[in-house]
Amino acid sequence: MIISHLGIGAKLRRNILLPIYWKYVKQWRVIEYYNKLKEYQWNTVEENQEIQQKKLYKLIKYTDQNIPYYKKMIKEHNIQFSEDTVFKDIKKFPILTKDIIRNNFDELYKFRDNTYYTNSSGGSTGEPVILYQDRNQLEWEIATKILFDEWAGRKIGEPMVKLWGSLGDTLRGGQSFKGYLRQKFYGATILNSNRMTDKNMYEFVQKINQVKPGLILTYTSSIDTLARFIQKNNLSIHSPHAIMTTAGVLYPEIQKRIEKVFRATIFNRYGSREVGDIACNCEKSSGLHLLPNIHYLEVVDNDGKEVAFGQTGNIIITLLTNYTMPLIRYKIGDRGILSDMNRQCEHGFPLLEKINGRIKSVFINKFGDYIDDDLFFALFRLKENIKKFQIIQETVEYIIINLVLIDKTKLKDVDKEFREISQKIRKVMGEETKIKYNIVDEIKPSPSGKYMYSFSRVKN
């Protein structure tokens, strides 16, 4: 039997390199948590609810003893809680919004060790907020990705293509050597989708045909753009076992087009920077499986009251793995529908029937290149004085940026940031691009009620 070098590399990564790296070099519990998730998936729904109940109670008890904001909330709202009644008790907590996090930031965290790091919320509202996360949360997040990849047919270390945004690579004009080595180590080839020129997309097609990945992980809008390009130019493309889409709504017509071009099964993953990957479908389920040992998810109406199964409401998340900065009943900014029961497969995980997440926008520069809106979000997401933003492309060479500032007295600092941001935008949109900044008091949602932090008026 002849074993390809590709097979040897995947087995080496899966059985030796990555386990040793995670356990002994990084001292992470990724494999331990992954094995737990594999075990939990065959539990009954009731058994997983018991695990969730214990973890939820443990988290609330910890916040009552250690996190000033929650101490105050528990006292002000006279919240009594116990392990037996915790599913009812948690509904007494007020919903946590981004404004509340900003206004009470110093009372929402406690460093337990030196494994904490800074992150920010995602782009669904254009209203980023800075958060502290820790190693325990990161370990569970990596384990979750491995499980979801496995559902889509990819084992640890096997070749994968990520059609993904990389701000650093875009501004550098190419990939760093360190990034290249990281890809080889994990078995993931990254194709930078922040800027999709005709030349780039031809190269993407060639790379996919060369790597022959079993899985393509991609932004929904990026794979749709590539699928249109392949159709238009009548190109031949390798058919992976599966394509996993994320960061955007997977509309039926988009799914149909991707399936036709790539001849592959589509998996849909839902997650956010704040709480990691939340849900994903398996091969037999039409809805998305939730992981009850990592999140406690509610769907509520605008008054914060739980809606019935099958009804649309606001998604509220309690993250069970981050004790450095716990998020209890966090309003993530998306709407969805919970299913009352999973009868489609053997997994003992509850189902999120549908998600109405944000719609990603694609800008077009004067050269005809497609620019993913994630590039613009990355420029603003860690700016402490920017409360909310919106980027509007009026023409191929004219962009308007509306900003709501936290402190208008710091305009001098903002002016400096404007120049730096404009320089980066012009690098991808063209040096002649005119950029207008508006400091506003409010950014209103569209007439449909959906807020979009970016959109283009240029006809695609």
Side-chain angles (χ1 to χ4, degrees), residues 97-106 108 127-130 384 386-388 406:
T97 65
K98 290 180 173 67
D99 273 340
I100 290 174
I101 292 175
R102 279 192 208 92
N103 295 335
N104 299 273
F105 186 83
D106 290 335
L108 275 163
E127 195 174 359
V129 65
I130 293 173
E384 294 185 2
I386 296 176
K387 178 181 179 182
K388 200 168 186 177
I406 295 173

Side-chain angles (χ1 to χ4, degrees), residues 149 152 154 159-162 213-217 240-244 267:
D149 285 356
R154 182 200 184 234
M160 174 177 71
V161 162
K162 290 178 68 175
L215 175 66
I216 297 177
L217 175 63
H241 174 76
I243 292 174
M244 185 175 289
F267 288 75

Side-chain angles (χ1 to χ4, degrees), residues 375-386:
L375 181 143
F376 298 96
F377 177 75
L379 295 175
F380 288 97
R381 72 185 186 95
L382 291 177
K383 304 298 183 185
E384 294 185 2
N385 196 34
I386 296 176

